[in-house]
Amino acid sequence: MTFTQEDARAELASAPGSEWWRTAVIYQIYPRSFADASGDGLGDLPGVTAHLDDLRELGVDAIWLSPFQTSPQKDAGYDVADYRDVDPIFGTLADFDAMLAGAHERGIRVIVDLVPNHSSDQHVWFQQALKAAPGSPERARHIFREGKGENGELPPNNWESVFGGGMWKRVTEADGTPGQWYLHIFDETQPDFDWTNEEVRAEFRDVLRFWLDRGVDGFRVDVAHGLIKAEGLPDYTPDPEGGSMGGDADAVPYWGQPGVHEVWREWHEVLAEYDGDRALCAEAWLPTVAETALWVRPDEMHQAFNFHYLETKWDAAALRAVIEESLAEYGAVGAPSTWVLSNHDVVRHASRLALTAENPQGAGIGPKSPGQPDPVKGLRRARAATALMLALPGSSYLYQGEELGLPEVIDLPDDARQDPTWFRTNGERYGRDGCRVPLPWTADAPAYGFNDTGASWLPQPTEWAGLAHDVQVDDPASTLSMYRALLAERRARGLGAGALEWVDGYGDDVVAARNGSVLVIANLGAASVDLPAGEVLVASGPLDGDRLPTDTTVWIAAA
Ligand code: NOJ
C-alpha cells in the first residue's frame, strides 16, 4: 500500500478528538546518535529529517526527541541553557521547523523533551543568581541555602546526587568568600529550579507555549517526579538497591511530593488552550504502578512511562502480573497504559534480558560487570519481548536502534565514556554510554552511514556492520522486518485500542492473551509448547513445526 502525503494530512486532520496518544507507538530519537547530516560526529536535526521516510516505513505514529535545545552538553542535553532555541550542534530553529513539517506531512506526530526540574549552570538565570546576593530574587529561582557547621562549610543536608557524590555545591560569593550552597539532584552543572516560585512556573508555561505555537504535539517531561522538594529539606539516606533515577523507595523527600500535581494541572490547562490533541508524558520513577497512575488523572498528564514494565524480569508470572496491574491501575483513572523496554538511560533490552546477575537498570554495564549477557539469547528474548509488548493495548515507546536489534555496547574504551555518572563515581558505575552509540544505517559506509565523514562521538563496534539498516531492510528474517510486520498488523487490527483477555492452558511459563483478532503467545519456558491452529501473522523467531520454541513469541489470527 502506498501512503501518500494526502493520506497523512487526512489522518492527522481526522485525529483531533481521537486522543491519538492513547494508542500511539512513539519512537524515541536520541538526536546526537540518530543521524549526522553535518558530519561532525554528533547527530542533528537535518539528520532526523533525512530519515523520516524510514520512520514512516517502520510504521510509528510519533517521534519523541531527546533534548536538542541550547546546552553545554554536560549531560547530553539534559542541561538546558536556553529553552527556546536549538543548540548549534543540532542545527537551528529553521531546521526544527523543517523537521516538524516533514514529520507531519508523513502523518508522524512530534513530541519534544522538556527539562523543568533543573537548568544548565550556564542558563542566564543561574548566572544572574551567582552574581546576586543571598536572599535576592535572582537566587530564589534556584535552590540556594546556607551551609551547616560553624562557617557554613557543611552542605545543608545529606542528600546524594543520582549521578553519585553529594547533591549540593558551594558557591563563591561576589566578594570572594565561600558562600551559599545550591541543590543539584543530578550533575553539579544542573542546578534545580525552585518550583514553589511563581516566576519559575510562569516561565515554563511560556516555554510550553513557545513550542506549542511551533506546532509540536506534546512533551516528554523530564524528572516529572522531582520538581517539588519536601518542606525543610529533611535528611534522607537512599536505599542502595534503589532504581537508577532513584524513585523506587517510598517517602523520598525529593521524589513524588504532592505539590507536583498542581504544576501538571497548570500545564494541562496550557495544552488545552491549543487545538488538536497535545499530550504530556511523565518521566516519573515511582515505587508502584498505582502511584504512577496518579500522575495521569484526567486533569494532569496524559501518559506516564511504565518503568515497572521495563524493570520486570524475563519471567512469565511477573510479566502477567505487571500487565494486569498496569491495565487495572491506569484504567482506573481513565488513562491508557504505556509500555516500554528500552531508552537512553537503561541497558538495551537485547542485552538486559540476558544478564545473568542482578544489575541496576540505569548504571550501565561494562567489561568488568558480573553476569555478562549472551548476545544470541539476548536478541532472541528481546525480539520475543517486543512482540509481546506490541500486542498490548495502550501506547508503546520504542528506542532508536532496538528495531535493528542493537545490543548494549559493553566494551567502550574508558577514555571514550562521557556519561557524568562515570566521572562522578570515579569509574565505579559505567553509566549509560553503552546504549547511546550512533546508529548503523549502511554497512559499507563511513561510520556505517551515520554520516559521510566517519566521525562518531562514541565508537561503533565493527559487528554493527551486520546490523545496519540497509542489511536488514530487505531481509524477511531481520529484526527490522519483524518490527515493521508487528507495527503494520498492530495498526491494521487496531490493537492499541483493544482489550486484553488472558488465555489459559499453555502452562506457567507462557504468557498467552487475546487482543481482538490476535492471539499472542510468548513462551518464556525452556521447553517448546504446542501451537493452536490458525494463521501465523508474525513470529519473533523460527517456529519448530507447530511448536513454539523457547524465548519466542507468535501472533496468530484469532478464530
Ligand atoms: C532523566 C533523563 O532521561 C536522563 O538522561 C537525565 O540524565 C536525567 N533525567 C537528568 O535530566
Side-chain angles (χ1 to χ4, degrees):
M1 179 190 131
T2 335
F3 191 85
T4 65
Q5 291 196 348
E6 248 167 55
D7 293 333
R9 283 198 201 95
E11 190 173 302
L12 283 183
S14 68
S18 70
E19 301 192 329
W20 61 274
W21 41 269
R22 288 184 176 275
T23 59
V25 175
I26 303 172
Y27 179 95
Q28 179 187 359
I29 292 184
Y30 194 64
R32 56 168 45 221
S33 301
F34 184 72
D36 173 22
S38 74
D40 65 356
L42 282 161
D44 45 40
L45 294 176
V48 176
T49 308
H51 284 285
L52 287 172
D53 283 334
D54 293 316
L55 295 174
R56 177 71 229 175
E57 277 156 27
L58 177 61
V60 297
D61 302 298
I63 52 179
W64 145 40
L65 289 107
S66 280
F68 50 79
Q69 295 88 349
T70 312
S71 159
Q73 305 292 319
K74 298 289 188 206
D75 183 22
Y78 283 95
D79 48 319
V80 179
D82 182 351
Y83 288 87
R84 296 181 184 79
D85 208 348
V86 171
D87 194 282
I89 64 172
F90 296 122
T92 61
L93 274 173
D95 291 329
F96 176 82
D97 292 340
M99 187 274 305
L100 183 66
H104 282 169
E105 271 168 22
R106 289 165 179 80
I108 299 173
R109 298 183 188 266
V110 178
I111 291 177
V112 297
D113 217 310
L114 192 59
V115 188
N117 178 67
H118 47 267
S119 64
S120 156
D121 61 356
Q122 300 307 307
H123 189 282
V124 61
W125 277 6
F126 192 72
Q127 287 299 312
Q128 288 169 356
L130 289 180
K131 291 188 195 106
S136 60
E138 287 84 356
R139 289 246 164 132
R141 296 154 172 163
H142 288 86
I143 302 179
F144 281 85
R145 292 288 184 277
E146 297 299 332
K148 285 187 177 160
E150 223 167 286
N151 300 304
E153 71 281 9
L154 300 172
N157 69 21
N158 72 343
W159 295 357
E160 287 171 28
S161 157
V162 169
F163 288 161
M167 214 191 259
W168 294 92
K169 184 170 162 72
R170 194 169 195 189
V171 301
T172 303
E173 301 297 353
D175 63 3
T177 57
Q180 288 193 306
W181 298 70
Y182 67 86
L183 182 82
H184 57 89
I185 289 188
F186 297 92
D187 190 54
E188 64 189 50
T189 60
Q190 295 168 291
D192 282 47
F193 283 114
D194 186 342
W195 273 87
T196 62
N197 182 337
E198 171 51 28
E199 196 184 357
V200 171
R201 292 192 183 205
E203 169 68 0
F204 272 90
R205 290 194 297 269
D206 197 62
V207 169
L208 289 175
R209 292 195 175 97
F210 176 85
W211 293 104
L212 290 165
D213 288 341
R214 295 196 104 80
V216 305
D217 299 287
F219 301 89
R220 175 267 189 194
V221 182
D222 191 62
V223 200
H225 54 316
L227 273 59
I228 301 281
K229 281 77 182 171
E231 191 74 42
L233 310 179
D235 275 356
Y236 171 72
T237 305
D239 172 1
E241 303 296 321
S244 63
M245 295 297 153
D248 289 352
D250 271 314
V252 183
Y254 41 88
W255 296 142
Q257 297 297 309
V260 175
H261 294 283
E262 234 177 78
V263 178
W264 309 139
R265 292 195 180 107
E266 282 174 20
W267 286 29
H268 189 101
E269 282 173 22
V270 173
L271 265 68
E273 292 165 11
Y274 287 78
D275 59 5
D277 287 314
R278 321 273 180 139
L280 293 168
C281 178
E283 190 230 9
W285 297 80
L286 294 155
T288 62
V289 176
E291 278 160 272
T292 315
L294 296 179
W295 296 62
V296 289
R297 283 174 286 190
D299 58 347
E300 296 198 27
M301 298 248 178
H302 302 84
Q303 292 186 331
F305 288 111
N306 191 342
F307 293 128
H308 300 95
Y309 185 70
L310 183 152
E311 289 182 325
T312 302
K313 57 186 180 192
W314 189 237
D315 173 272
L319 277 168
R320 274 193 300 269
V322 71
I323 292 170
E324 196 157 295
E325 192 185 0
S326 303
L327 292 171
E329 295 293 355
Y330 289 105
V333 291
S337 181
T338 63
W339 314 101
V340 62
L341 289 165
S342 278
N343 67 30
H344 65 292
D345 287 329
V346 300
V347 175
R348 281 188 177 275
H349 69 285
S351 300
R352 194 182 69 237
L353 294 176
L355 282 171
T356 57
E358 281 303 302
N359 223 314
Q361 298 279 349
I365 49 174
K368 294 191 191 130
S369 302
Q372 294 285 318
D374 166 358
V376 174
K377 189 196 266 185
L379 180 57
R380 191 183 170 98
R381 288 186 173 174
R383 289 173 57 136
T386 300
L388 173 61
M389 176 177 86
L390 289 175
L392 301 176
S395 170
S396 280
Y397 278 81
L398 306 178
Y399 175 49
Q400 69 178 37
E402 65 170 82
E403 75 280 17
L404 304 176
L406 297 186
E408 185 83 358
V409 181
I410 297 170
D411 56 357
L412 283 172
D414 286 356
D415 60 6
R417 295 191 184 273
Q418 305 205 15
D419 186 344
T421 310
W422 169 254
F423 298 106
R424 290 186 64 87
T425 63
N426 294 320
E428 202 179 292
R429 282 160 57 192
Y430 285 103
R432 303 157 294 175
D433 294 315
C435 64
R436 298 174 173 183
V437 173
L439 295 192
W441 290 96
T442 316
D444 195 13
Y448 307 123
F450 173 57
N451 55 26
D452 292 339
T453 60
S456 176
W457 72 279
L458 284 173
Q460 300 160 297
T462 46
E463 310 85 77
W464 281 22
L467 295 172
H469 186 274
D470 73 327
V471 173
Q472 297 201 35
V473 75
D474 294 321
D475 172 2
S478 71
T479 304
L480 180 58
S481 297
M482 182 197 78
Y483 269 74
R484 286 168 65 161
L486 291 169
L487 290 170
E489 289 290 349
R490 179 185 160 92
R491 182 184 284 241
R493 293 168 184 271
L495 301 189
L500 206 71
E501 232 177 276
W502 295 119
V503 175
D504 296 328
Y506 292 95
D508 290 348
D509 293 333
V510 171
V511 179
R514 186 176 164 153
N515 180 357
S517 62
V518 170
L519 172 63
V520 59
I521 311 174
N523 181 10
L524 287 77
S528 59
V529 294
D530 279 336
L531 282 171
E535 182 197 352
V536 172
L537 301 170
V538 195
S540 71
L543 301 179
D544 181 7
D546 55 5
R547 290 182 66 80
L548 180 66
T550 180
D551 293 341
T552 308
T553 297
V554 70
W555 289 15
I556 291 180

